[in-house]
Every structure is written in C-alpha cells, then in structure tokens.
Amino acid sequence: MGREAAVWVLLALLATARAHMDVVHSWRTVDYAFPSLVARDAMIRTGKFIPINIALIDMDVWDGGSSGQKIFVTAPRFKPGNPATLNTVAPNGALQPYPHWNWHREGNCDGITSVFRVDIDQCGRLWVLDSGMVDIFEKEPRMICPPQILVFNLNNDKLIGRYVFPSDVADSRSLLVTIAVDTRDPKCLDTFAYVADVTGYRLLVVDAVRQKSWRVTNNYFYPYPLHGSFNINGVSFDLMDGVIGLALGPVVNNDRRLYFHSLASVRESWVATSLLRNQTLFTEGDGAPRSFHVSQFTRSSQSAAEAMSPNGVLFFGLLSQNAIACWNSRLPYAPQNINIVAKNNETLQFASGLKYRSDAVWALTSRLQNYIIANVSENEVNYRVVRGDAWTLTVGNSCHKSGTAGIYTDRPQSLSGYRPFIFQR
C-alpha cells in the first residue's frame, strides 16, 4: 500500500471513530423567556401556552454581527397553545420570540403567524416563510392570514422586506413549508426565492426585485404512493406529503441547480434555476416538464430537510435510519455514492431542519414521529439542535472528493462586499 493510500485509510478510520454530531441544545418541552413568571402562569392558565403542544421543526445559525452567534428555531402552530413561532435560543435554552413578542399575536397578519422553515442568505438577511396557517394538526386547520415572506436584516433585526403571496399563486390548498434563497451578485440585488408547497404539490418562485411570483408544477413534486408509510424508532405513521426538501447547488456557468424531493419519496430530483426564473415559461408555456430530472437510483429511506455545501455536497437525513447522509453531486446519485456520515438512534431522529453553515452541518432533530401520533413523553428529550464539522463527517468517503480532481474542502466563498438589500416596496 502506497503512502497516500495509507494516509487515506487512516483518515477514514479516524472519521469512522469520530464521526458524530454534537448536541448544542436540547429540550424535553419548549419554554420561553417570558417577561415574568406571572406572565408565564397567566398564559398557561388561559391555554395560550401549552408546552406539550409545541414542536420544533427547523433551525438556522448566524455568526455575524457584534451580538455574536444567533441560533434560530421555528415552531409552527400545529396545535393551540403556541405563543411564538420563530425564536432565537438563549444560552440556557429558553426561546426568545424573534424579533419581539408583539410580532407573534395570533390573528395579526402584519406580524408572523406560523413558520415551518427559514433561510439565512450570504447577505446577512433572514428569510422567514410564514404559512399563515394554524391548528395544522387539528381536525380543522385554519389559514388565518395570507402566506407571506418576511426578510430581516440580521445586523439590526429590522424588517427590510415583506412579500404577501396573491391568492392565484398560494391558495386554500397551499401549505408553504420550505424556502431556498438564491442570491448571486455582490450587491445582493439579484435574488430569487424558491418555496415548497407541500400539500399543493408545486413550487412557488418569487422574484424579489420585481415583487412577482408564479407557480411551477411538475409530477416530481407529488408524493410517491409506495413511500407514504414511515417507521422511525419503532413508531409507524402514514404521511403523503409532497415536495419538502430544497437545496441549491453551486453556480456554474451563471446557472445552478435546485435539488428537491418529496417527503413520501426515496428519489432526488433537480432542475436548472434558469428554467424556474423564466416566468413566461410557466404562465404562458408548458413549463418544460422534460427539463426536470429525477434520479435513476434511490436512497435507503425517506428524507425531510436537505442542504448543500458551496462545493456541491448534499447533506440530508435518512429518517428510518436515524442518520445524516451525504452525496457528492458530481457523482451519480447511486447507493455507492450515498454515505452515512453520522448515525445515532437517540440524537439523530427525524432531521426536519438541516443547514450548511461555516464548514459545519447543523440539524434540528426530534421525536416528531411521537408528536405526529400524539404520544410525546415529557420525561424524554424530544428536540435537539446538533452540529457536526463537515470535514470530519466526510473525510475518507466520496463526499470529500471532487469526482474528477482529487480532494477539496468545503470552505464558503468570502462574503466581503455583500450588503443588505432593501426591498422595493
């Protein structure tokens, strides 16, 4: 065995021994940084705060600004008793409503109603996807406000943009759950957002500069009937959800791919964003269905969230295996190129939120399967924010190779020159 090969064997063994994701925060039930104990007790007494009814779904992290690191978590209003749907995490784990408590009054459509996922772009902006729907896991879900996107400048926590979806783009069938923000130019002016409508089985495209949006339909946005049954840690349930996972590939020749998959699916799909950005193609044309692609091979499990590194490595959860996996998008989407990089039956259950930030893979994992069947135990840890170093997770496997030109590291491009962009109102 040559010296180089021996080094790689050693690295692979070290990665196998060390590959894990550290728990940054954990909760049995969610609690908030209330103004006082009196206020907390009053909200419990009136049913406005029911801890067991609150489930965490997504997270994101921002390392910029003088205030230091901010970790965001989302709590959609699945059931009554949730006083705040978007929060930062205090050092003691308490949730602090973002940006303020008064943004979270249910029924105030000028505020924030119910958030599944968020996305922080390279320009220091937090993009908040507000579904407008409450009581989602009750018998009669209610859309009490129009779905919208809100954008905050994280340097000062000020609202700098709001886009309310018109009813001919997001309708009564819509449940908007995932957002991927596509920003390219140094001044952050060329910005689009791609939004997954999990129950309308479509993608919504938002041109942030022109303040326009349109629907994109395709068969690959639907659930796959054979994959609507789930078993996670011995808990079984059925969920025929459509498109949910979104991840943007690197820019190549002034274009990039949007990768996506349905929750009830074991395949990965992709489409060129230059196609999605062409509004005429979808409002007046046929939508070029043959320009959408689906993998020939499958992964071993359904997956929820996914995220891609700047160099084209896709990270995603494997729900039935309590694991995080990766795939180098320069290689075929095939079993031999899909690598499990971390697995833990306790801490890596149901990765519903996933982000790649500053050379690290972050995830929101939970016992969401128990929440879905209404069997949450307050004696167990139900929600976690976990983090793993990307180099350690991938060293020694195909995600650490370019596929054509040897080894690379997942280092983000410099963000110098970027500045916050204020929406044209």
Side-chain angles (χ1 to χ4, degrees), residues 169-228:
V169 175
D171 57 27
S172 58
R173 291 191 304 149
S174 296
L175 181 58
L176 308 188
V177 297
T178 310
I179 183 169
V181 181
D182 183 5
T183 297
R184 303 187 191 181
D185 70 296
K187 294 184 178 180
C188 297
L189 297 177
D190 177 13
T191 300
F192 280 70
Y194 312 111
V195 173
D197 183 348
V198 71
T199 54
Y201 309 133
R202 53 204 170 204
L203 194 72
L204 309 184
V205 179
V206 181
D207 182 336
V209 175
R210 295 195 300 132
Q211 292 282 278
K212 299 288 186 181
S213 63
W214 52 94
R215 292 177 178 174
V216 175
T217 57
N218 189 270
N219 289 341
Y220 299 148
F221 298 149
Y222 283 82
Y224 291 59
L226 295 179
H227 300 289

Side-chain angles (χ1 to χ4, degrees), residues 82-288:
N82 183 352
T85 183
L86 174 65
N87 307 272
T88 57
V89 185
N92 66 356
L95 303 191
Q96 298 174 319
Y98 184 87
H100 305 292
W101 274 105
N102 56 11
W103 278 80
H104 295 270
R105 294 193 300 270
E106 188 172 315
N108 173 24
C109 296
D110 291 328
I112 306 173
T113 299
S114 184
V115 178
F116 277 81
R117 291 180 179 85
V118 297
D119 193 17
I120 297 174
D121 68 14
Q122 64 263 47
C123 312
R125 302 177 297 188
L126 174 69
W127 294 68
V128 179
L129 180 62
D130 184 358
S131 69
M133 187 170 288
V134 300
D135 297 344
I136 297 162
F137 276 17
E138 297 293 278
K139 291 183 179 180
E140 296 184 5
R142 298 177 293 131
M143 184 175 284
I144 61 174
C145 292
Q148 62 179 341
I149 295 172
L150 300 100
V151 186
F152 292 90
N153 179 351
L154 288 176
N155 291 296
N156 57 20
D157 298 325
K158 301 296 184 183
L159 182 71
I160 58 173
R162 184 194 299 267
Y163 180 77
V164 179
F165 285 94
S167 58
D168 61 345
V169 175
D171 57 27
S172 58
R173 291 191 304 149
S174 296
L175 181 58
L176 308 188
V177 297
T178 310
I179 183 169
V181 181
D182 183 5
T183 297
R184 303 187 191 181
D185 70 296
K187 294 184 178 180
C188 297
L189 297 177
D190 177 13
T191 300
F192 280 70
Y194 312 111
V195 173
D197 183 348
V198 71
T199 54
Y201 309 133
R202 53 204 170 204
L203 194 72
L204 309 184
V205 179
V206 181
D207 182 336
V209 175
R210 295 195 300 132
Q211 292 282 278
K212 299 288 186 181
S213 63
W214 52 94
R215 292 177 178 174
V216 175
T217 57
N218 189 270
N219 289 341
Y220 299 148
F221 298 149
Y222 283 82
Y224 291 59
L226 295 179
H227 300 289
S229 295
F230 296 76
N231 187 291
I232 302 174
N233 263 28
V235 176
S236 298
F237 61 94
D238 292 331
L239 194 59
M240 291 298 293
D241 274 0
V243 59
I244 189 170
L246 301 179
L248 282 162
V251 178
V252 178
N253 296 326
N254 202 36
D255 200 2
R256 68 197 309 183
R257 289 178 173 180
L258 177 71
Y259 294 86
F260 63 90
H261 61 251
S262 295
L263 183 65
S265 168
V266 291
R267 296 182 186 270
E268 191 68 25
S269 298
W270 57 89
V271 63
T273 54
S274 57
L275 191 83
L276 300 175
R277 289 173 170 230
N278 185 349
Q279 179 181 4
T280 304
L281 189 62
F282 298 99
T283 55
E284 299 179 17
D286 65 355

